[in-house]
Amino acid sequence: AAGSIEGLVTFGDLSLVGVDLDALLDYLYKPETELAKAFEFPAKVKAKAGEGKALVGYMIPLEYKPKSEDIVIFMLVRDLMSCCFGGMPRPDEWVYVEMRNDEVASLFPYVPVVVKGKLIVGRLEDEFGFATGVYTLQADSVEAFKPPAEPNKSDEAAR
């Protein structure tokens, strides 16, 4: 699938496994500490930020357009087992998605979606200043993920 989705960034690309966990937690929850101020995302993660990115995951709606079923904000999670049916996902296992330019998303329950837009790497805060995550995607589009077609066995045999 990696070759079939332009600008694809995977949750593996955004993994923070191996970073100093104490520094990451301070960065999120005690940003005034020296350890938090010294925290830096790995270069390979920072390199994935920018326009024209696409992520594949599962959507969990957070906010709908008033009086409609149109979604304007949702969580994109790596898999449903680490969120809905299990424990809370790690900070690098989900992305906060906001639709931009008055775009909206339809609900795609229990199926993977492709979300395209601008990926931002950095501390995300709620309206009270509390950390809520580390990745934001300002989305232009959301569509159901379609896996690449399987090669036809008879076509391969003819080669």
Side-chain angles (χ1 to χ4, degrees), residues 13-159:
D13 295 332
L14 299 177
S15 175
L16 296 176
V17 171
V19 301
D20 181 341
L21 185 58
D22 289 332
L24 173 61
L25 290 173
D26 273 15
Y27 173 77
L28 290 172
Y29 302 113
K30 297 187 226 171
E32 70 284 350
T33 66
E34 292 303 315
L35 192 56
K37 291 175 185 172
F39 176 79
E40 286 195 37
F41 286 89
K44 71 176 186 77
V45 171
K46 290 192 289 188
K48 297 298 179 182
E51 288 284 352
K53 304 301 179 177
L55 281 95
V56 176
Y58 296 86
M59 69 185 322
I60 299 175
L62 297 175
E63 184 177 321
Y64 290 85
K65 198 171 191 176
K67 299 181 183 180
S68 78
E69 293 184 13
D70 296 330
I71 299 166
V72 293
I73 299 174
F74 62 94
M75 286 175 63
L76 185 72
V77 296
R78 180 177 61 89
D79 65 59
L80 291 175
M81 295 311 290
S82 69
C83 189
C84 297
F85 306 109
M88 178 70 173
R90 294 187 327 245
D92 58 352
E93 292 181 323
W94 69 278
V95 176
Y96 180 83
V97 179
E98 291 180 302
M99 300 303 296
R100 62 180 177 176
N101 300 325
D102 294 323
E103 294 292 330
V104 294
S106 296
L107 178 62
F108 294 93
Y110 309 111
V111 297
V113 294
V114 179
V115 185
K116 296 179 181 178
K118 179 181 180 182
L119 179 63
I120 300 167
V121 174
R123 188 174 189 272
L124 174 66
E125 295 180 352
D126 65 13
E127 65 270 20
F128 304 108
F130 295 109
T132 57
V134 293
Y135 301 124
T136 303
L137 187 67
Q138 297 172 341
D140 297 313
S141 68
V142 179
E143 58 190 38
F145 172 74
K146 295 177 184 75
E150 290 289 323
N152 189 332
K153 300 281 186 206
S154 61
D155 288 346
E156 286 187 14
R159 290 186 204 165

